[in-house]
Amino acid sequence: MAAPVAANSNADQPPTVAERLIAAAATSPEVHDWIARQLMAGRKPSEILVLLSDRVLH
């Protein structure tokens, strides 16, 4: 009999957009607040990640 697998077991998969956004928000209170404002303004999480990567890379 196989061992049960956790419902959110994705150890072999890359992080989801939500997981990446949560990780970015945890980096600092300023980033957290900026992400919160972007979400409340209606931006898609994937768009926010692109904006964050542009901020970091430039």
Side-chain angles (χ1 to χ4, degrees), residues 2-47:
V5 177
N8 62 353
S9 177
N10 62 354
D12 295 337
Q13 299 175 2
T16 64
V17 170
E19 291 168 334
R20 291 169 46 208
L21 201 58
I22 291 166
T27 61
S28 76
E30 293 81 12
V31 173
H32 178 277
D33 292 345
W34 181 83
I35 291 171
R37 287 193 302 273
Q38 299 307 306
L39 289 168
M40 291 192 318
R43 283 205 191 267
K44 294 179 181 177
S46 58
E47 292 174 327

